[in-house]
């Protein structure tokens, strides 16, 4: 409905637009700069779009601002949950779905993004997403109770699920491969920095203002981003309107949604991994996902093209993205437990402790993108993975006597190491694909990010709870405050011990990574035939 509304505005202003042979709508004032041309990168011919750099920058800023606030909302409520349990009069186990539902909806929506991008223009999708996000934010700010706020969060999550695929797809079209690393660095900034800023901003706002300002303070930025995008954003994708496979959409929704729901439920504390609901959700989700993959292999026009996994560098990227996002989201949740529960710090102090690491990550992400363009991935990701492994090992050695300063330094190094890995790996993975697989590759990686983030949180929280219980069972005085703090610390250390294994696996995978060069376009063939060929 909203897409139709935006499209009607475009038709009313049709005299300001022209359509070229590539089915791209171009404003008349930029049509001389905005052209489709053939360019060569490393001997491979690819189709890219040439546009004036200033106009391209304005487009990027508009896309980045909207997406930044959408992703930041994934963690904005984490520190506010205790206060909201009182304000909204609901238990914490219910209220946590304000955060879990965000990941759940995005995880369900993103797999369909490759299809959605081919049905609607860039302007329609992004303006629709901004409008939905603004409406959802306003609903949350004015919500009289939990049900209404839940509706607002769902609106926000749908918007976030649309924004990131549109952003990345626009980058791979607007920027040639030799410049793409720097642009992807900005994406790395919002993906890595925005969730980190959420708790710090939340703690600062809650220390001085009402929780409603968590949403009200975001609205002006969304409004500005909407009007800038409406004025400058151009359509960069070709509208092909492929056949809609409703069964694939249903299977992917049940599959990804069931897996995220199952892992999130396991982390709630109602029976943990022994809960029948966990087994049922994971079982139904896994079965649906298996059927979804089989259907994609047999489809001539798959919703998610599995031929992307023919390219080894993309496959390695997908595995590493799962590990990185599990590490990011779990560490952002484990450290507040450590700082607030074991060390007794306030919410504001906890948020501020996490802020320097996020700032460093935000500063490094664009730089690592430029360094990737110049030096390739290996000189960045191998040292980054080595540093990540060392830092997580040091986290396993933390005690109650460890100084807050040392923890801040460790977190800064953790976020710095992730910045050295994330942007180069993501960009290298997409660069390994022919142009027609960009939207599918982007959708797959983005889906993996959200699903693995939810899985990582549930897994590490479960490990922490298990380690905490094991310590208290052996304790001679389990009710003592000091013993409870030590038990929580024991659980956090247990979680980071498992994380150390994931970090070591990341380091091993970086040794097999090399600079990807997109091959010539694959000949038309079925997905099954393509996947039957050796890598």
């Amino acid at each position: 409905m909203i897409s139709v509304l935006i499209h009607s505005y475009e038709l009313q202003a049709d005299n300001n637009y022209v359509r070229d042979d590539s089915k791209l709508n171009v404003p008349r004032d930029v049509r001389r700069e905005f052209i489709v041309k053939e360019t060569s990168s490393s001997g491979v011919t690819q189709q890219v779009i040439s546009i004036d750099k200033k106009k391209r920058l304005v487009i990027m800023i508009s896309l980045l601002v909207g997406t930044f606030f959408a992703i930041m909302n994934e963690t904005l409520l984490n520190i506010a949950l205790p206060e909201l349990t009182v304000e909204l009069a609901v238990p914490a186990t219910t209220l946590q779905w304000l955060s879990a539902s965000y990941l759940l909806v995005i995880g369900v929506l993103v797999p369909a993004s490759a299809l959605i991008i081919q049905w609607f223009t860039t302007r329609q999708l992004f303006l629709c997403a901004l409008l939905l996000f603004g409406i959802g934010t306003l609903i949350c700010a004015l919500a009289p109770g939990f049900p209404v706020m839940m509706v607002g969060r769902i609106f926000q999550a749908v918007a976030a699920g649309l924004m990131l695929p549109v952003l990345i797809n626009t980058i791979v079209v607007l920027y040639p491969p030799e410049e793409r690393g720097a642009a992807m660095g900005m994406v790395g900034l919002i993906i890595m920095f925005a969730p980190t800023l959420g708790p710090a901003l939340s703690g600062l706002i809650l220390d001085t203002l009402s929780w409603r300002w968590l949403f009200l303070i975001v609205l002006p930025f969304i409004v500005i981003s909407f009007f800038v995008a409406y004025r400058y954003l151009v359509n960069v994708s070709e509208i092909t309107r492929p056949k809609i496979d409703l069964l694939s959409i249903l299977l992917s929704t049940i599959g990804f949604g069931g897996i995220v729901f199952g892992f999130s439920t396991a982390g709630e504390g109602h029976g943990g991994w022994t809960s029948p609901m966990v087994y049922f959700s994971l079982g139904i989700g896994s079965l649906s996902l298996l059927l979804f993959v089989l259907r994609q292999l047999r489809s001539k026009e798959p919703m998610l093209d599995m031929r992307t996994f023919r390219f080894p560098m993309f496959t390695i990227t997908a595995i590493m993205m799962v590990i990185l996002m599990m590490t990011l989201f779990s560490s952002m949740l484990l450290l507040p437990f450590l700082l607030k529960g074991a060390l007794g710090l306030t919410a504001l102090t906890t948020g501020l402790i996490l802020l320097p690491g996020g700032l460093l990550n935000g500063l490094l992400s664009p730089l690592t993108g430029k360094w990737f363009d110049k030096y390739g991935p290996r000189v960045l990701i191998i040292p980054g993975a080595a540093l990540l492994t060392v830092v997580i090992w040091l986290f396993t050695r933390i005690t109650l006597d460890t100084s807050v300063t040392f923890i801040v330094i460790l977190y800064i190094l953790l976020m710095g190491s992730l910045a050295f890995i994330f942007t180069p790996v993501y960009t290298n993975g997409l660069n390994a694909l022919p142009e027609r697989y960009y939207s599918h590759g982007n959708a797959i990686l983005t889906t993996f990010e959200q699903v693995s983030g939810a899985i990582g949180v549930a897994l590490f929280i479960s490990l922490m709870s298990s380690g905490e219980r094991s310590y208290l069972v052996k304790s001679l005085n389990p009710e003592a405050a000091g013993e409870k703090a030590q038990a929580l610390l024991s659980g956090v250390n247990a979680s980071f011990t498992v994380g150390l294994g994931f970090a070591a696996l990341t380091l091993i995978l970086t040794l097999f990574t090399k600079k990807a060069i997109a091959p010539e376009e694959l000949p038309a063939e079925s997905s099954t035939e393509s996947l039957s060929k050796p890598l």
Side-chain angles (χ1 to χ4, degrees), residues 117-276:
I117 287 174
Q118 297 177 71
W119 264 87
F120 300 99
T121 68
T122 309
R123 285 173 57 82
Q124 288 173 344
L125 284 176
F126 196 73
L127 292 176
C128 172
L130 284 173
L131 192 56
L132 282 173
F133 191 81
I135 292 173
T137 302
L138 185 61
I139 290 175
C140 289
L142 302 178
F146 173 78
V148 176
M149 182 176 285
M150 189 69 176
V151 172
R153 290 293 285 176
I154 292 174
F155 269 79
Q156 288 183 321
V158 171
L162 291 174
M163 285 185 191
L164 192 56
V166 170
L167 170 62
I168 297 178
N169 190 63
T170 301
I171 286 175
V172 297
V173 174
L174 285 183
Y175 290 84
E178 59 271 13
E179 299 179 15
R180 200 171 292 154
M184 288 297 294
M186 299 303 297
V187 179
L189 185 152
I190 64 172
I191 290 177
M192 305 293 279
F193 177 52
T196 306
L197 182 63
L201 181 61
S202 177
L204 181 61
I205 292 175
L206 292 175
D207 196 51
T208 55
L209 300 169
S210 163
W211 62 267
R212 297 184 186 276
W213 283 95
L214 293 175
F215 303 102
L216 292 174
I217 202 169
V218 172
L219 275 176
F221 295 96
I222 299 301
V223 172
I224 293 172
S225 181
F226 181 89
F227 283 107
V228 172
Y230 185 81
R231 173 64 182 88
Y232 294 103
L233 185 61
V234 293
N235 298 321
V236 301
S237 59
E238 181 178 351
I239 306 304
T240 59
R241 292 188 170 86
K243 180 182 176 181
I244 297 178
D245 187 351
L246 294 178
L247 181 57
S248 289
I249 294 177
L250 179 63
L251 288 173
S252 69
T253 299
I254 297 175
F256 290 109
I259 290 175
V260 173
F261 181 84
F263 276 97
S264 297
T265 302
E268 277 191 56
H270 293 300
W273 294 101
T274 62
S275 170

Side-chain angles (χ1 to χ4, degrees), residues 19 106 123 163 185 233 277 329 457 498 531:
R19 181 176 292 273
I106 294 175
R123 285 173 57 82
M163 285 185 191
L233 185 61
M277 179 59 71
F329 280 96
V457 167
V498 175
L531 285 167

Side-chain angles (χ1 to χ4, degrees), residues 210-498:
S210 163
W211 62 267
R212 297 184 186 276
W213 283 95
L214 293 175
F215 303 102
L216 292 174
I217 202 169
V218 172
L219 275 176
F221 295 96
I222 299 301
V223 172
I224 293 172
S225 181
F226 181 89
F227 283 107
V228 172
Y230 185 81
R231 173 64 182 88
Y232 294 103
L233 185 61
V234 293
N235 298 321
V236 301
S237 59
E238 181 178 351
I239 306 304
T240 59
R241 292 188 170 86
K243 180 182 176 181
I244 297 178
D245 187 351
L246 294 178
L247 181 57
S248 289
I249 294 177
L250 179 63
L251 288 173
S252 69
T253 299
I254 297 175
F256 290 109
I259 290 175
V260 173
F261 181 84
F263 276 97
S264 297
T265 302
E268 277 191 56
H270 293 300
W273 294 101
T274 62
S275 170
M277 179 59 71
V278 173
Y279 290 130
F280 178 77
S281 299
L282 292 178
I284 293 297
S286 299
L287 178 60
S288 299
L289 198 57
L290 176 61
L291 295 175
F292 170 76
V293 172
L294 292 175
R295 184 168 180 82
Q296 303 315 295
L297 295 176
R298 290 175 171 81
S299 176
K300 293 183 179 179
E301 295 183 359
M303 191 172 86
L304 284 182
D305 201 327
M306 298 300 166
R307 283 179 289 185
T308 53
F309 289 101
R310 281 197 61 194
F311 306 96
M313 288 303 101
F314 178 82
T315 302
I316 291 177
T317 292
I319 297 173
M320 293 179 67
M321 289 303 302
V322 169
I323 298 174
L324 292 174
M325 296 310 292
M326 288 178 66
T327 302
L328 174 64
F329 280 96
S330 59
S331 64
M332 288 171 55
L333 200 59
L334 286 174
L335 287 178
F337 274 100
L338 172 65
L339 296 170
K340 293 176 64 179
L343 302 182
L345 301 179
T346 65
L348 177 58
T349 303
T350 299
L352 293 177
I353 286 174
L354 301 178
L355 186 58
L359 290 174
L360 177 65
N361 186 277
L363 292 173
L364 283 179
S365 291
L367 293 176
T368 55
K370 293 181 180 180
W371 294 336
F372 168 82
D373 291 334
K374 188 174 182 180
Y375 303 110
R378 290 177 62 87
V379 298
L380 297 171
I381 65 174
I382 293 178
L387 178 60
L388 175 66
T389 304
V390 172
V391 169
I392 292 185
W393 176 77
L394 290 173
F395 268 120
T396 67
R397 317 301 295 178
I398 287 178
T399 68
L400 292 179
D401 296 324
T402 302
S403 68
V404 172
T405 302
F406 184 70
I407 295 176
V408 171
I409 293 174
L410 284 185
Y411 189 68
I412 289 174
L413 293 176
L414 174 67
M415 297 304 290
S417 65
L418 290 174
F420 269 80
I421 305 172
F422 183 86
T423 300
V425 166
Y426 201 112
T427 309
N428 199 58
L430 290 182
N431 283 352
L433 301 176
E435 185 180 0
R436 63 173 169 164
Y437 295 120
Y438 284 160
S439 60
H440 292 278
N442 173 37
I444 289 172
L445 292 181
T446 307
T447 300
F448 280 14
E449 288 173 15
Q450 302 303 320
V451 174
S452 60
I455 291 174
V457 167
L459 173 62
F460 284 94
I461 291 301
S462 297
L463 291 170
M464 183 190 72
S465 299
S466 177
E468 185 178 10
R469 287 193 299 268
S470 297
Y471 183 91
L472 290 175
V473 167
K474 300 175 184 178
S475 174
L476 297 177
N477 189 12
E479 296 301 320
E483 285 295 276
K484 289 183 178 180
Q486 186 61 51
L488 181 57
L489 176 64
S490 178
V492 172
N493 286 342
S495 297
F496 276 117
T497 300
V498 175

Side-chain angles (χ1 to χ4, degrees), residues 13-28:
D14 188 62
N15 59 331
N16 292 324
Y17 287 80
V18 294
R19 181 176 292 273
D20 66 7
D21 293 336
S22 297
K23 304 179 182 179
L24 299 170
N25 284 336
V26 186
R28 290 186 185 276

Side-chain angles (χ1 to χ4, degrees), residues 92-108:
T93 52
T94 300
L95 199 65
Q96 66 92 25
W97 280 104
L98 291 177
S99 297
S101 64
Y102 208 85
L103 290 173
L104 179 61
V105 172
I106 294 175
V108 167

